[in-house]
Amino acid sequence: MTDTPVAIAAYTAVSALGDGCAAHTTALRTGQRGLRRNDYAPAGVPLPCWIGRAAGIEDDPAPSLDTRLHRLLARALRQDGLSDALARAVRDRGAARVALVLGTSTANIESSERAYRRLEHGHLPADLRDPRLHHLHGPAEWLCAQTGIAGPALTLSTACSASAKAFGLAARLLTGGIADAVLVAGADSLCASTLYGFNALELVDSLPCRPFDQARAGLSIGEAAALALLCRVEHAPQAPRLLACGESSDAHHLSAPHPEGAGAAHALHAALRACGLRAADFDYLNLHGTGSRQNDAVEAAMVARLLPGIRASASKGATGHTLGAAGALEAVLTLLALHHGIVPGSVGCHAPEPAIAAQLVVDPQPQPLRRALSFSFGFGGSNACLALARAEP
Amino acid sequence: MNTHLQARVVGLGLCAPGLPDRDAFATWLRDNGRALPPEREAQPIAARMAPAERRRAPRSIRLALEAATQALGARDPARVGMVYCSAYGDMSNTDIILDTLAQAPTAVSPTRFTHSVHNAAPGYWSMAAGSHAPTSALACGREGFGSALLTALLEMHARALPQLLVCCDAADAGALADAAPCPLDFAGALLLAPVAESSCMALLRARVLPGAAMPTPPRDMRLHPWWSGNPAAAALPLIEACLAARAQDFTWPLGSGTLLALDCEPVR
């Protein structure tokens, strides 16, 4: 059984690389690194590491319910005509026929952290009691109120695969006839929970992260909001396409990958099966590539075995690991690579892991591309593989 | 467009304070003289988990896995997907992490952080079941049951695989309870299959419609405190109808202007 492709009518992102498609395209062309020394320290002294921080977010409040995550989302809505395209969909299709699938790992937990730093007699301070600040679906409720979306609103939270899987669920809402347009959003902001949590797991590099480099020593946390407006192909025949979203479970460990990458391989095969194509039909692969010693080693071996010869690169050395936003952010980067004919480089990698050295692209190369894959793997052994295609000329 | 989505309910699971499984719940339902158990916490067994993992896993995860295990019955879990839905996740774990971050952030427990991912329960399930089948973890607010049911129906049709729909919220904890009140544990699970099977209890026909849903409370008035207290207990009226082999219509909200309408028809 093959999946029906769906159109990606509009897309954009806000990350450490800047605001919108133009900034991200320039970064892809030049191999720009968006990481900076950690200066995000809401709880005192900053951890000695590097982060991917979206510039200027501090001075750009979000309407209605101001949180760091909502600032990222509000800014993303203003890029590349996204909110206009969404408003057109709401007007032409009806608000109840436009759905939202948000992928996030931590939602507005930065606000819960602020509240816990100044509890009043063991209770949330009066100004931080809005429930949307404290539960995972809060940002989706806020986003619906901001955009007029009145169709199904779903929050998917499977750690670092969340917003890749959101594309799969959005496609099923479209092909199942439940919605005529779906906004896919991936968003996670910097927060203490993930910085100190990954630090406790000893998974944070003290230097800027170096995915697939032999000397890599962990990840750098980043923040992003990435948006994509999906519809059925007949409503946007000129747009790039989501061909399939393959998904699987590792069934191995909550925080370590399967040693042979079995779960990731299942996700890849599910994606290929769903679009009825072979690995050789793809000419670029966006790797998950966090910079963690173990994860990158497993991914390198799996890719060399199952996708030999396909040029591959990792973008987290440029953006940081944006966790629940990573799947959507990397889908946007991959769509830009397809559109502009750029094979992106692997920022931060200087001496590639031998297993993948033959196919790992270190410096960006101009090259026409037709189809690409993007991997996202998360804690809990949650894997996703997106298959994307360039707009037909 | 009013696409009908059909499914058969071929398994049920439930774990709640004082009523640890589906059979205990069914017996309690038939006995009108018994009051609702007053405890906050359930005692989930989660027999499918390996002993080491059962010791390590927090109660909220065992709660979800207990309901899933009951609903799966004797079926091969490798051929079953899971859609897990929880409004608030493991609030007790989140409360402790937030407290540590406020006091001494570098003292955050790596185990607690690992367990803080919303998909920890489906992750443990895939390990316990030895299954590479895809799983999802949703959080759709206090009224998220319709969204979870819709997602399970879509996954079931897209993959032609039965789906475990597991709704689980554990009792609240700490200051978060001010914004996310949940006075007791509750987990409910339905095993949904695309085709008729011998264990079929009910036929479900779902449609997505514009408009506002009218929440359907449980028929048994004794259940109202659970139903209004715990977001996952939005599954209770449907579980109740399946157990009573009663035809009933339901609506649940999906978004601000959309609802899921469901006809539940018993199958003999």
Side-chain angles (χ1 to χ4, degrees), chain A residues 1 116 122-124 136-137 150-155 157 165 172 176 200 247 249-252 266 379-380, chain B residues 3 95 108 118-119 123 126-127 132-135 137-141 147 155 158 175-176 178 254 257-258:
Chain A
M1 193 170 65
Y116 269 64
H123 289 279
L124 298 175
L136 284 168
H137 193 51
L154 305 157
T155 298
S157 187
K165 285 168 75 84
R172 288 189 278 287
E247 299 171 51
S249 302
D250 268 5
H252 174 69
H266 280 294
F379 272 18
Chain B
T3 313
D95 172 60
V108 166
H118 194 63
N119 59 319
S126 65
M127 286 189 269
H132 291 295
T135 62
L138 300 175
C140 299
S147 299
E155 300 287 347
L176 281 176
D178 293 340
L254 294 172
T258 325

mmCIF file of all heavy atoms in Angstrom, chain A residues 1 116 122-124 136-137 150-155 157 165 172 176 200 247 249-252 266 379-380, chain B residues 3 95 108 118-119 123 126-127 132-135 137-141 147 155 158 175-176 178 254 257-258:
data_model
loop_
_atom_site.group_PDB
_atom_site.id
_atom_site.type_symbol
_atom_site.label_atom_id
_atom_site.label_comp_id
_atom_site.label_asym_id
_atom_site.label_seq_id
_atom_site.Cartn_x
_atom_site.Cartn_y
_atom_site.Cartn_z
ATOM 1 N N MET A 1 0.845 -1.193 0.000
ATOM 2 C CA MET A 1 0.000 0.000 0.000
ATOM 3 C C MET A 1 0.887 1.251 0.000
ATOM 4 O O MET A 1 1.760 1.403 0.843
ATOM 5 C CB MET A 1 -0.889 -0.005 1.238
ATOM 6 C CG MET A 1 -1.995 1.004 1.173
ATOM 7 S SD MET A 1 -3.203 0.791 2.485
ATOM 8 C CE MET A 1 -2.222 1.144 3.935
ATOM 9 N N TYR A 116 8.120 28.197 38.992
ATOM 10 C CA TYR A 116 8.699 27.451 40.122
ATOM 11 C C TYR A 116 9.849 28.206 40.783
ATOM 12 O O TYR A 116 10.192 27.915 41.918
ATOM 13 C CB TYR A 116 9.156 26.054 39.670
ATOM 14 C CG TYR A 116 8.077 24.996 39.831
ATOM 15 C CD1 TYR A 116 6.904 25.068 39.099
ATOM 16 C CD2 TYR A 116 8.229 23.934 40.732
ATOM 17 C CE1 TYR A 116 5.908 24.120 39.235
ATOM 18 C CE2 TYR A 116 7.235 22.976 40.879
ATOM 19 C CZ TYR A 116 6.082 23.071 40.139
ATOM 20 O OH TYR A 116 5.097 22.125 40.294
ATOM 21 N N GLY A 122 4.050 27.638 47.933
ATOM 22 C CA GLY A 122 3.869 26.348 47.265
ATOM 23 C C GLY A 122 2.896 26.376 46.103
ATOM 24 O O GLY A 122 2.585 25.319 45.545
ATOM 25 N N HIS A 123 2.434 27.556 45.721
ATOM 26 C CA HIS A 123 1.482 27.652 44.606
ATOM 27 C C HIS A 123 2.055 28.494 43.469
ATOM 28 O O HIS A 123 2.947 29.320 43.677
ATOM 29 C CB HIS A 123 0.148 28.246 45.083
ATOM 30 C CG HIS A 123 -0.616 27.303 45.953
ATOM 31 N ND1 HIS A 123 -1.392 26.280 45.459
ATOM 32 C CD2 HIS A 123 -0.667 27.201 47.305
ATOM 33 C CE1 HIS A 123 -1.922 25.602 46.465
ATOM 34 N NE2 HIS A 123 -1.493 26.137 47.601
ATOM 35 N N LEU A 124 1.507 28.283 42.267
ATOM 36 C CA LEU A 124 1.927 29.076 41.116
ATOM 37 C C LEU A 124 1.651 30.547 41.388
ATOM 38 O O LEU A 124 0.592 30.882 41.935
ATOM 39 C CB LEU A 124 1.161 28.642 39.863
ATOM 40 C CG LEU A 124 1.359 27.200 39.389
ATOM 41 C CD1 LEU A 124 0.427 26.907 38.195
ATOM 42 C CD2 LEU A 124 2.801 26.935 38.993
ATOM 43 N N LEU A 136 1.154 20.500 27.625
ATOM 44 C CA LEU A 136 1.783 20.394 26.307
ATOM 45 C C LEU A 136 0.920 20.950 25.172
ATOM 46 O O LEU A 136 1.451 21.375 24.151
ATOM 47 C CB LEU A 136 2.107 18.913 26.015
ATOM 48 C CG LEU A 136 3.327 18.336 26.736
ATOM 49 C CD1 LEU A 136 3.354 16.818 26.603
ATOM 50 C CD2 LEU A 136 4.615 18.930 26.173
ATOM 51 N N HIS A 137 -0.383 20.916 25.337
ATOM 52 C CA HIS A 137 -1.282 21.356 24.267
ATOM 53 C C HIS A 137 -1.496 22.877 24.290
ATOM 54 O O HIS A 137 -2.119 23.432 23.385
ATOM 55 C CB HIS A 137 -2.623 20.627 24.422
ATOM 56 C CG HIS A 137 -3.536 20.731 23.237
ATOM 57 N ND1 HIS A 137 -3.143 20.443 21.944
ATOM 58 C CD2 HIS A 137 -4.845 21.090 23.142
ATOM 59 C CE1 HIS A 137 -4.174 20.619 21.125
ATOM 60 N NE2 HIS A 137 -5.207 21.015 21.820
ATOM 61 N N ALA A 150 -9.956 26.244 13.174
ATOM 62 C CA ALA A 150 -11.017 25.691 14.023
ATOM 63 C C ALA A 150 -11.221 24.199 13.790
ATOM 64 O O ALA A 150 -12.107 23.578 14.366
ATOM 65 C CB ALA A 150 -12.328 26.441 13.774
ATOM 66 N N GLY A 151 -10.396 23.600 12.923
ATOM 67 C CA GLY A 151 -10.441 22.153 12.703
ATOM 68 C C GLY A 151 -9.714 21.418 13.812
ATOM 69 O O GLY A 151 -9.335 22.023 14.816
ATOM 70 N N PRO A 152 -9.525 20.102 13.648
ATOM 71 C CA PRO A 152 -8.824 19.330 14.681
ATOM 72 C C PRO A 152 -7.467 19.940 15.016
ATOM 73 O O PRO A 152 -6.734 20.361 14.119
ATOM 74 C CB PRO A 152 -8.649 17.950 14.027
ATOM 75 C CG PRO A 152 -9.796 17.857 13.059
ATOM 76 C CD PRO A 152 -9.991 19.248 12.546
ATOM 77 N N ALA A 153 -7.161 20.029 16.307
ATOM 78 C CA ALA A 153 -5.881 20.555 16.764
ATOM 79 C C ALA A 153 -5.222 19.488 17.615
ATOM 80 O O ALA A 153 -5.762 19.087 18.640
ATOM 81 C CB ALA A 153 -6.081 21.835 17.566
ATOM 82 N N LEU A 154 -4.069 18.999 17.148
ATOM 83 C CA LEU A 154 -3.411 17.869 17.796
ATOM 84 C C LEU A 154 -2.002 18.255 18.193
ATOM 85 O O LEU A 154 -1.282 18.887 17.406
ATOM 86 C CB LEU A 154 -3.338 16.687 16.818
ATOM 87 C CG LEU A 154 -4.676 16.251 16.214
ATOM 88 C CD1 LEU A 154 -4.462 15.514 14.910
ATOM 89 C CD2 LEU A 154 -5.405 15.366 17.196
ATOM 90 N N THR A 155 -1.597 17.881 19.393
ATOM 91 C CA THR A 155 -0.211 18.062 19.801
ATOM 92 C C THR A 155 0.437 16.692 19.922
ATOM 93 O O THR A 155 -0.062 15.822 20.634
ATOM 94 C CB THR A 155 -0.111 18.808 21.140
ATOM 95 O OG1 THR A 155 -0.668 20.106 20.972
ATOM 96 C CG2 THR A 155 1.346 18.941 21.582
ATOM 97 N N SER A 157 3.826 14.649 20.863
ATOM 98 C CA SER A 157 5.032 14.873 21.662
ATOM 99 C C SER A 157 5.793 13.571 21.844
ATOM 100 O O SER A 157 5.576 12.842 22.800
ATOM 101 C CB SER A 157 4.652 15.494 23.009
ATOM 102 O OG SER A 157 5.813 15.869 23.712
ATOM 103 N N LYS A 165 7.085 13.376 12.806
ATOM 104 C CA LYS A 165 5.862 12.556 12.829
ATOM 105 C C LYS A 165 4.618 13.416 12.601
ATOM 106 O O LYS A 165 3.602 12.922 12.092
ATOM 107 C CB LYS A 165 5.765 11.795 14.162
ATOM 108 C CG LYS A 165 6.726 10.604 14.245
ATOM 109 C CD LYS A 165 6.832 10.050 15.649
ATOM 110 C CE LYS A 165 5.650 9.240 16.097
ATOM 111 N NZ LYS A 165 5.708 7.833 15.673
ATOM 112 N N ARG A 172 -2.224 12.156 6.912
ATOM 113 C CA ARG A 172 -3.373 11.258 7.109
ATOM 114 C C ARG A 172 -4.676 12.050 7.303
ATOM 115 O O ARG A 172 -5.745 11.605 6.894
ATOM 116 C CB ARG A 172 -3.105 10.306 8.278
ATOM 117 C CG ARG A 172 -2.062 9.250 7.902
ATOM 118 C CD ARG A 172 -1.914 8.171 8.931
ATOM 119 N NE ARG A 172 -1.054 8.514 10.041
ATOM 120 C CZ ARG A 172 0.271 8.605 9.990
ATOM 121 N NH1 ARG A 172 0.910 8.375 8.858
ATOM 122 N NH2 ARG A 172 0.975 8.908 11.056
ATOM 123 N N GLY A 176 -7.358 11.276 4.561
ATOM 124 C CA GLY A 176 -8.565 10.723 5.165
ATOM 125 C C GLY A 176 -9.781 11.632 4.981
ATOM 126 O O GLY A 176 -10.870 11.291 5.427
ATOM 127 N N ALA A 200 22.823 16.476 32.546
ATOM 128 C CA ALA A 200 22.848 15.392 33.545
ATOM 129 C C ALA A 200 23.152 14.049 32.886
ATOM 130 O O ALA A 200 23.754 13.161 33.504
ATOM 131 C CB ALA A 200 21.507 15.338 34.281
ATOM 132 N N GLU A 247 7.553 5.414 9.942
ATOM 133 C CA GLU A 247 7.700 5.501 11.401
ATOM 134 C C GLU A 247 7.944 4.118 11.993
ATOM 135 O O GLU A 247 7.502 3.115 11.440
ATOM 136 C CB GLU A 247 6.436 6.115 12.013
ATOM 137 C CG GLU A 247 6.170 7.532 11.515
ATOM 138 C CD GLU A 247 4.817 8.071 11.953
ATOM 139 O OE1 GLU A 247 4.514 7.998 13.144
ATOM 140 O OE2 GLU A 247 4.077 8.549 11.082
ATOM 141 N N SER A 249 9.351 1.965 16.014
ATOM 142 C CA SER A 249 9.853 2.005 17.386
ATOM 143 C C SER A 249 11.108 1.152 17.483
ATOM 144 O O SER A 249 11.205 0.107 16.848
ATOM 145 C CB SER A 249 8.808 1.446 18.358
ATOM 146 O OG SER A 249 7.605 2.175 18.271
ATOM 147 N N ASP A 250 12.055 1.606 18.313
ATOM 148 C CA ASP A 250 13.290 0.829 18.529
ATOM 149 C C ASP A 250 13.030 -0.437 19.344
ATOM 150 O O ASP A 250 13.679 -1.450 19.142
ATOM 151 C CB ASP A 250 14.319 1.673 19.297
ATOM 152 C CG ASP A 250 15.257 2.422 18.376
ATOM 153 O OD1 ASP A 250 15.055 2.371 17.148
ATOM 154 O OD2 ASP A 250 16.201 3.058 18.898
ATOM 155 N N ALA A 251 12.136 -0.358 20.327
ATOM 156 C CA ALA A 251 11.891 -1.466 21.255
ATOM 157 C C ALA A 251 13.190 -1.906 21.910
ATOM 158 O O ALA A 251 13.451 -3.091 22.086
ATOM 159 C CB ALA A 251 11.227 -2.644 20.528
ATOM 160 N N HIS A 252 14.040 -0.937 22.280
ATOM 161 C CA HIS A 252 15.360 -1.292 22.815
ATOM 162 C C HIS A 252 15.662 -0.603 24.138
ATOM 163 O O HIS A 252 15.940 -1.248 25.129
ATOM 164 C CB HIS A 252 16.426 -0.966 21.768
ATOM 165 C CG HIS A 252 17.819 -1.166 22.265
ATOM 166 N ND1 HIS A 252 18.327 -2.415 22.532
ATOM 167 C CD2 HIS A 252 18.793 -0.274 22.587
ATOM 168 C CE1 HIS A 252 19.567 -2.288 22.992
ATOM 169 N NE2 HIS A 252 19.866 -1.007 23.039
ATOM 170 N N HIS A 266 13.809 0.281 10.109
ATOM 171 C CA HIS A 266 12.372 0.033 9.910
ATOM 172 C C HIS A 266 11.666 1.296 9.413
ATOM 173 O O HIS A 266 10.796 1.225 8.544
ATOM 174 C CB HIS A 266 11.715 -0.416 11.221
ATOM 175 C CG HIS A 266 11.928 -1.861 11.545
ATOM 176 N ND1 HIS A 266 11.400 -2.891 10.794
ATOM 177 C CD2 HIS A 266 12.612 -2.463 12.538
ATOM 178 C CE1 HIS A 266 11.762 -4.053 11.317
ATOM 179 N NE2 HIS A 266 12.502 -3.822 12.376
ATOM 180 N N PHE A 379 14.116 10.046 21.924
ATOM 181 C CA PHE A 379 14.049 9.248 23.147
ATOM 182 C C PHE A 379 12.752 8.427 23.115
ATOM 183 O O PHE A 379 11.759 8.840 22.502
ATOM 184 C CB PHE A 379 14.001 10.160 24.372
ATOM 185 C CG PHE A 379 15.362 10.551 24.898
ATOM 186 C CD1 PHE A 379 16.497 10.424 24.128
ATOM 187 C CD2 PHE A 379 15.495 11.048 26.190
ATOM 188 C CE1 PHE A 379 17.743 10.790 24.622
ATOM 189 C CE2 PHE A 379 16.735 11.412 26.698
ATOM 190 C CZ PHE A 379 17.861 11.289 25.911
ATOM 191 N N GLY A 380 12.786 7.312 23.812
ATOM 192 C CA GLY A 380 11.640 6.416 23.755
ATOM 193 C C GLY A 380 11.736 5.491 22.545
ATOM 194 O O GLY A 380 10.870 4.664 22.315
ATOM 195 N N THR B 3 -16.319 11.909 5.749
ATOM 196 C CA THR B 3 -15.782 10.559 5.645
ATOM 197 C C THR B 3 -16.127 9.759 6.901
ATOM 198 O O THR B 3 -15.902 10.215 8.009
ATOM 199 C CB THR B 3 -14.250 10.617 5.494
ATOM 200 O OG1 THR B 3 -13.956 11.589 4.521
ATOM 201 C CG2 THR B 3 -13.704 9.272 5.087
ATOM 202 N N ASP B 95 6.988 17.837 38.321
ATOM 203 C CA ASP B 95 7.030 18.693 39.510
ATOM 204 C C ASP B 95 8.396 18.596 40.199
ATOM 205 O O ASP B 95 8.971 19.618 40.588
ATOM 206 C CB ASP B 95 5.904 18.273 40.469
ATOM 207 C CG ASP B 95 5.992 18.967 41.812
ATOM 208 O OD1 ASP B 95 5.933 20.216 41.832
ATOM 209 O OD2 ASP B 95 6.159 18.277 42.838
ATOM 210 N N VAL B 108 19.679 17.892 38.575
ATOM 211 C CA VAL B 108 18.580 17.170 37.909
ATOM 212 C C VAL B 108 18.986 15.711 37.685
ATOM 213 O O VAL B 108 20.103 15.422 37.263
ATOM 214 C CB VAL B 108 18.240 17.843 36.561
ATOM 215 C CG1 VAL B 108 17.358 16.944 35.697
ATOM 216 C CG2 VAL B 108 17.541 19.163 36.798
ATOM 217 N N HIS B 118 7.285 12.733 26.860
ATOM 218 C CA HIS B 118 5.861 12.396 26.901
ATOM 219 C C HIS B 118 5.610 10.995 26.355
ATOM 220 O O HIS B 118 4.608 10.359 26.702
ATOM 221 C CB HIS B 118 5.081 13.438 26.096
ATOM 222 C CG HIS B 118 3.604 13.419 26.317
ATOM 223 N ND1 HIS B 118 3.043 13.683 27.547
ATOM 224 C CD2 HIS B 118 2.575 13.157 25.479
ATOM 225 C CE1 HIS B 118 1.728 13.587 27.452
ATOM 226 N NE2 HIS B 118 1.409 13.265 26.204
ATOM 227 N N ASN B 119 6.527 10.519 25.505
ATOM 228 C CA ASN B 119 6.338 9.189 24.913
ATOM 229 C C ASN B 119 7.069 8.105 25.698
ATOM 230 O O ASN B 119 7.352 7.041 25.140
ATOM 231 C CB ASN B 119 6.800 9.186 23.447
ATOM 232 C CG ASN B 119 8.259 9.573 23.299
ATOM 233 O OD1 ASN B 119 8.711 10.485 23.975
ATOM 234 N ND2 ASN B 119 8.993 8.904 22.434
ATOM 235 N N GLY B 123 7.234 4.156 24.682
ATOM 236 C CA GLY B 123 8.593 3.627 24.564
ATOM 237 C C GLY B 123 8.761 2.360 25.388
ATOM 238 O O GLY B 123 9.286 1.346 24.910
ATOM 239 N N SER B 126 6.814 -0.505 23.707
ATOM 240 C CA SER B 126 7.458 -1.161 22.568
ATOM 241 C C SER B 126 8.542 -2.116 23.055
ATOM 242 O O SER B 126 8.732 -3.189 22.483
ATOM 243 C CB SER B 126 8.001 -0.129 21.572
ATOM 244 O OG SER B 126 9.026 0.636 22.154
ATOM 245 N N MET B 127 9.224 -1.760 24.154
ATOM 246 C CA MET B 127 10.235 -2.670 24.721
ATOM 247 C C MET B 127 9.570 -3.901 25.321
ATOM 248 O O MET B 127 9.980 -5.040 25.074
ATOM 249 C CB MET B 127 11.048 -1.957 25.791
ATOM 250 C CG MET B 127 12.037 -0.959 25.248
ATOM 251 S SD MET B 127 13.114 -0.370 26.564
ATOM 252 C CE MET B 127 12.211 1.046 27.133
ATOM 253 N N HIS B 132 8.375 -3.327 16.937
ATOM 254 C CA HIS B 132 8.861 -2.165 16.182
ATOM 255 C C HIS B 132 7.716 -1.361 15.575
ATOM 256 O O HIS B 132 7.952 -0.398 14.833
ATOM 257 C CB HIS B 132 9.814 -2.602 15.072
ATOM 258 C CG HIS B 132 11.118 -3.144 15.581
ATOM 259 N ND1 HIS B 132 12.019 -2.368 16.266
ATOM 260 C CD2 HIS B 132 11.654 -4.386 15.541
ATOM 261 C CE1 HIS B 132 13.068 -3.102 16.610
ATOM 262 N NE2 HIS B 132 12.865 -4.346 16.191
ATOM 263 N N ALA B 133 6.471 -1.781 15.852
ATOM 264 C CA ALA B 133 5.330 -1.057 15.284
ATOM 265 C C ALA B 133 5.369 0.406 15.749
ATOM 266 O O ALA B 133 5.761 0.694 16.878
ATOM 267 C CB ALA B 133 4.022 -1.708 15.724
ATOM 268 N N PRO B 134 4.958 1.335 14.879
ATOM 269 C CA PRO B 134 4.985 2.747 15.268
ATOM 270 C C PRO B 134 4.061 3.028 16.459
ATOM 271 O O PRO B 134 3.007 2.388 16.597
ATOM 272 C CB PRO B 134 4.470 3.479 14.024
ATOM 273 C CG PRO B 134 4.559 2.503 12.908
ATOM 274 C CD PRO B 134 4.458 1.138 13.507
ATOM 275 N N THR B 135 4.464 3.978 17.280
ATOM 276 C CA THR B 135 3.614 4.447 18.368
ATOM 277 C C THR B 135 3.590 5.973 18.301
ATOM 278 O O THR B 135 4.482 6.578 17.721
ATOM 279 C CB THR B 135 4.155 4.041 19.751
ATOM 280 O OG1 THR B 135 5.431 4.652 19.935
ATOM 281 C CG2 THR B 135 4.297 2.534 19.878
ATOM 282 N N ALA B 137 2.508 9.658 20.726
ATOM 283 C CA ALA B 137 2.144 10.190 22.030
ATOM 284 C C ALA B 137 1.528 11.562 21.814
ATOM 285 O O ALA B 137 2.168 12.451 21.253
ATOM 286 C CB ALA B 137 3.366 10.290 22.938
ATOM 287 N N LEU B 138 0.284 11.701 22.220
ATOM 288 C CA LEU B 138 -0.442 12.947 22.036
ATOM 289 C C LEU B 138 -0.712 13.604 23.375
ATOM 290 O O LEU B 138 -0.831 12.936 24.409
ATOM 291 C CB LEU B 138 -1.800 12.691 21.366
ATOM 292 C CG LEU B 138 -1.817 12.047 19.988
ATOM 293 C CD1 LEU B 138 -3.260 11.782 19.569
ATOM 294 C CD2 LEU B 138 -1.143 12.939 18.968
ATOM 295 N N ALA B 139 -0.846 14.921 23.338
ATOM 296 C CA ALA B 139 -1.360 15.672 24.474
ATOM 297 C C ALA B 139 -2.312 16.682 23.876
ATOM 298 O O ALA B 139 -1.878 17.549 23.116
ATOM 299 C CB ALA B 139 -0.232 16.379 25.217
ATOM 300 N N CYS B 140 -3.585 16.536 24.126
ATOM 301 C CA CYS B 140 -4.546 17.427 23.463
ATOM 302 C C CYS B 140 -5.446 18.119 24.466
ATOM 303 O O CYS B 140 -6.636 18.349 24.212
ATOM 304 C CB CYS B 140 -5.327 16.656 22.407
ATOM 305 S SG CYS B 140 -4.255 15.994 21.117
ATOM 306 N N GLY B 141 -4.900 18.430 25.632
ATOM 307 C CA GLY B 141 -5.643 19.189 26.619
ATOM 308 C C GLY B 141 -6.624 18.324 27.382
ATOM 309 O O GLY B 141 -6.673 17.104 27.225
ATOM 310 N N SER B 147 -9.627 13.678 19.956
ATOM 311 C CA SER B 147 -8.446 13.799 19.095
ATOM 312 C C SER B 147 -7.643 12.504 19.095
ATOM 313 O O SER B 147 -7.139 12.066 18.055
ATOM 314 C CB SER B 147 -7.556 14.951 19.578
ATOM 315 O OG SER B 147 -8.266 16.164 19.517
ATOM 316 N N GLU B 155 -4.620 6.144 12.043
ATOM 317 C CA GLU B 155 -3.435 5.268 12.007
ATOM 318 C C GLU B 155 -3.853 3.855 11.613
ATOM 319 O O GLU B 155 -3.164 3.177 10.851
ATOM 320 C CB GLU B 155 -2.744 5.236 13.385
ATOM 321 C CG GLU B 155 -2.246 6.578 13.893
ATOM 322 C CD GLU B 155 -1.011 7.076 13.159
ATOM 323 O OE1 GLU B 155 -0.383 6.300 12.420
ATOM 324 O OE2 GLU B 155 -0.683 8.269 13.316
ATOM 325 N N ALA B 158 -4.556 3.855 7.884
ATOM 326 C CA ALA B 158 -3.372 4.105 7.065
ATOM 327 C C ALA B 158 -2.454 2.885 7.048
ATOM 328 O O ALA B 158 -1.835 2.580 6.030
ATOM 329 C CB ALA B 158 -2.622 5.324 7.589
ATOM 330 N N ALA B 175 2.803 22.307 42.669
ATOM 331 C CA ALA B 175 2.166 23.562 42.274
ATOM 332 C C ALA B 175 1.512 23.458 40.898
ATOM 333 O O ALA B 175 0.569 24.193 40.598
ATOM 334 C CB ALA B 175 3.201 24.690 42.278
ATOM 335 N N LEU B 176 1.984 22.542 40.041
ATOM 336 C CA LEU B 176 1.376 22.380 38.719
ATOM 337 C C LEU B 176 -0.119 22.072 38.823
ATOM 338 O O LEU B 176 -0.888 22.383 37.913
ATOM 339 C CB LEU B 176 2.058 21.239 37.950
ATOM 340 C CG LEU B 176 3.407 21.547 37.295
ATOM 341 C CD1 LEU B 176 3.966 20.271 36.670
ATOM 342 C CD2 LEU B 176 3.265 22.639 36.237
ATOM 343 N N ASP B 178 -2.254 23.529 40.398
ATOM 344 C CA ASP B 178 -3.057 24.758 40.331
ATOM 345 C C ASP B 178 -3.591 24.975 38.910
ATOM 346 O O ASP B 178 -4.687 25.502 38.726
ATOM 347 C CB ASP B 178 -2.212 25.989 40.717
ATOM 348 C CG ASP B 178 -1.800 25.949 42.178
ATOM 349 O OD1 ASP B 178 -2.437 25.224 42.963
ATOM 350 O OD2 ASP B 178 -0.813 26.637 42.523
ATOM 351 N N LEU B 254 -12.828 18.375 18.826
ATOM 352 C CA LEU B 254 -11.518 18.129 18.194
ATOM 353 C C LEU B 254 -10.710 19.420 18.092
ATOM 354 O O LEU B 254 -9.498 19.398 17.960
ATOM 355 C CB LEU B 254 -11.705 17.571 16.783
ATOM 356 C CG LEU B 254 -12.340 16.195 16.669
ATOM 357 C CD1 LEU B 254 -12.631 15.886 15.200
ATOM 358 C CD2 LEU B 254 -11.427 15.128 17.248
ATOM 359 N N GLY B 257 -13.929 24.464 16.523
ATOM 360 C CA GLY B 257 -15.159 24.454 15.736
ATOM 361 C C GLY B 257 -15.441 23.111 15.078
ATOM 362 O O GLY B 257 -16.144 23.047 14.074
ATOM 363 N N THR B 258 -14.894 22.038 15.637
ATOM 364 C CA THR B 258 -15.022 20.724 15.016
ATOM 365 C C THR B 258 -15.246 19.679 16.092
ATOM 366 O O THR B 258 -14.723 19.792 17.199
ATOM 367 C CB THR B 258 -13.733 20.350 14.248
ATOM 368 O OG1 THR B 258 -13.181 21.508 13.692
ATOM 369 C CG2 THR B 258 -13.998 19.344 13.167
#
